[in-house]
Amino acid sequence: ELKVEQNPLFLSMQEGKNYTIYCNYSTTSDRLYWYRQDPGKSLESLFVLLSNGAVKQEGRLMASLDTKARLSTLHITAAVHDLSATYFCAVDSGTSYGKLTFGQGTILTVHP
Amino acid sequence: SAVISQKPSRDICQRGTSLTIQCQVDSQVTMMFWYRQQPGQSLTLIATANQGSEATYESGFVIDKFPISRPNLTFSTLTVSNMSPEDSSIYLCSVGASGSIEQFFGPGTRLTVL
């Protein structure tokens, strides 16, 4: 059974600081997704990582994938208040694309 | 990308009743997925809706409780049957757009069962 674990589950940051969210998964998978969810909203796709060593960046967020370690990271650079949200990683089951197993989510709060 | 709409956006229902949630996509897709997000929790896959065949359910979810229809390549429904307060959740449909590696999610249906 595929398991996906994120840490930390809660992250309180000061504006301007850097931090990393970690996502570990238990079995081989072709695709690793990162999503953002604002309170009361649906999921916004941030990144899809396909291969070992893949790195993608968008603004203050950078995601990377190490398939050998079964680890993905979401790095936040110089956090701003607008980044406050819940961040989920998810992994494809491998049996068919689209069947995602999600991590628990990381609730990020950025303080002035 | 794919534009996904869901109806209703929210509902409050009495226990023992059933609610049907609709998911409409702006393009044809082979598979549609239904997820549940319980309050304060992550997302869990309920089932895969395939056009022209029976839905495939994940462990812990059964057709009698969550019947699914998929009449065409742009539309699906999920029914939550004989509801109890434990069914209070957000229900989301998800699709992968043609030519895209991304998985997109609908706006969700927020269900409260009293």
Side-chain angles (χ1 to χ4, degrees):
Chain A
E1 178 190 351
L2 174 58
K3 293 186 177 180
V4 182
E5 294 189 352
Q6 286 180 237
N7 72 85
L9 301 184
F10 300 92
L11 180 54
S12 180
M13 299 177 62
Q14 275 191 313
E15 282 189 330
K17 299 293 187 181
N18 305 332
Y19 211 85
T20 300
I21 300 171
Y22 297 88
C23 175
N24 288 93
Y25 54 100
S26 60
T27 63
T28 302
S29 175
D30 290 342
R31 299 181 179 184
L32 190 291
Y33 303 77
W34 284 98
Y35 290 93
R36 169 181 172 146
Q37 186 178 40
D38 291 297
K41 304 292 186 181
S42 186
L43 275 71
E44 173 190 354
S45 178
L46 296 175
F47 304 106
V48 184
L49 302 169
L50 300 180
S51 60
N52 190 43
V55 177
K56 289 193 175 181
Q57 183 165 4
E58 180 74 33
R60 301 174 187 276
L61 301 177
M62 183 174 70
S64 66
L65 178 62
D66 181 344
T67 57
K68 294 179 181 178
R70 296 177 186 159
L71 170 69
S72 180
T73 61
L74 181 66
H75 186 72
I76 303 155
T77 302
V80 293
H81 179 70
D82 286 351
L83 290 179
S84 296
T86 300
Y87 293 85
F88 292 98
C89 65
V91 178
D92 244 312
S93 68
T95 57
S96 63
Y97 292 131
K99 295 177 64 173
L100 303 186
T101 300
F102 280 80
Q104 309 97 310
T106 297
I107 300 175
L108 171 65
T109 305
V110 181
H111 300 283
Chain B
S1 67
V3 178
I4 307 170
S5 60
Q6 287 186 233
K7 290 182 181 180
S9 58
R10 58 178 65 226
D11 207 340
I12 301 173
C13 301
Q14 297 297 319
R15 69 170 66 216
T17 63
S18 297
L19 176 72
T20 296
I21 301 167
Q22 300 177 8
C23 178
Q24 179 76 52
V25 189
D26 68 339
S27 58
Q28 294 184 338
V29 293
T30 305
M31 290 188 287
M32 298 175 76
F33 303 91
W34 287 98
Y35 288 82
R36 179 176 73 182
Q37 185 176 27
Q38 294 176 300
Q41 302 297 314
S42 185
L43 283 79
T44 302
L45 180 64
I46 298 172
T48 304
N50 306 300
Q51 199 271 332
S53 64
E54 293 289 324
T56 305
Y57 290 83
E58 299 301 308
S59 176
F61 298 96
V62 295
I63 187 171
D64 290 347
K65 177 67 176 178
F66 298 101
I68 286 171
S69 77
R70 183 79 197 274
N72 59 55
L73 291 174
T74 64
F75 186 80
S76 177
T77 67
L78 169 76
T79 299
V80 186
S81 303
N82 188 25
M83 288 183 287
S84 67
E86 291 71 34
D87 295 319
S88 297
S89 297
I90 301 173
Y91 293 86
L92 303 102
C93 65
S94 173
V95 304
S98 176
S100 172
I101 60 174
E102 295 185 66
Q103 288 292 320
F104 300 97
F105 284 80
T109 294
R110 185 179 295 271
L111 171 61
T112 302
V113 184
L114 303 178

